[in-house]
């Protein structure tokens, strides 16, 4: 189980790159301020942080628009799973429960 109980807030693409490089397994939520689905996902990804070995972070792409193209993000929330620095999974556009996301992370 991860020692981190809350998602880390990332500032920009460089911060994201550091986070991915520093963690063997990383789940990142790309969110928008004022997005009801994104707000609903915040406690769920906190649960994923507590239930898995994945490091979990959040990034508002508005703070660095280059990540939109880089990761082909067209809606929020978008969740991207990285393993050993490589993208291994992606979920976009909806609210998912803790159990479904834990299974998504553990399947990596």
């Amino acid at each position: 189980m991860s020692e981190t109980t809350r998602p880390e807030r990332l500032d920009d693409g460089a911060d994201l790159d550091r986070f991915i490089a520093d963690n063997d397994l990383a789940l990142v939520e790309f969110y928008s301020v004022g997005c009801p689905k994104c707000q609903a996902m915040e406690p769920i990804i906190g649960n994923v942080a507590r239930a898995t070995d994945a490091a979990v972070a959040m990034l508002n792409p508005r703070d660095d628009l280059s990540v939109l193209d880089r990761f082909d993000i067209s809606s929020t929330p978008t969740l991207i799973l990285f393993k050993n620095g490589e993208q291994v999974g992606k979920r976009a556009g909806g609210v998912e429960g803790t159990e479904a996301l834990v299974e998504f992370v553990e399947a990596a």
Side-chain angles (χ1 to χ4, degrees), residues 10-21 59 64 66-67 70:
L10 305 176
D11 294 324
D12 55 28
D15 210 12
L16 173 62
D17 291 341
R18 176 208 47 85
F19 181 78
I20 294 167
L59 175 64
D64 186 343
S66 70
V67 299
R70 192 169 149 205

Side-chain angles (χ1 to χ4, degrees), residues 27 41 44-45 47-49 51-52 54 79 81 89-92 94-108:
L27 179 67
M41 285 301 299
I44 294 167
I45 64 168
N47 291 339
V48 173
T52 69
L79 298 156
L81 185 62
K90 182 176 181 179
R91 303 271 180 105
V95 176
E96 296 195 46
T98 299
E99 187 175 310
L101 285 181
V102 166
E103 289 175 9
F104 172 65
V105 168
E106 289 179 343

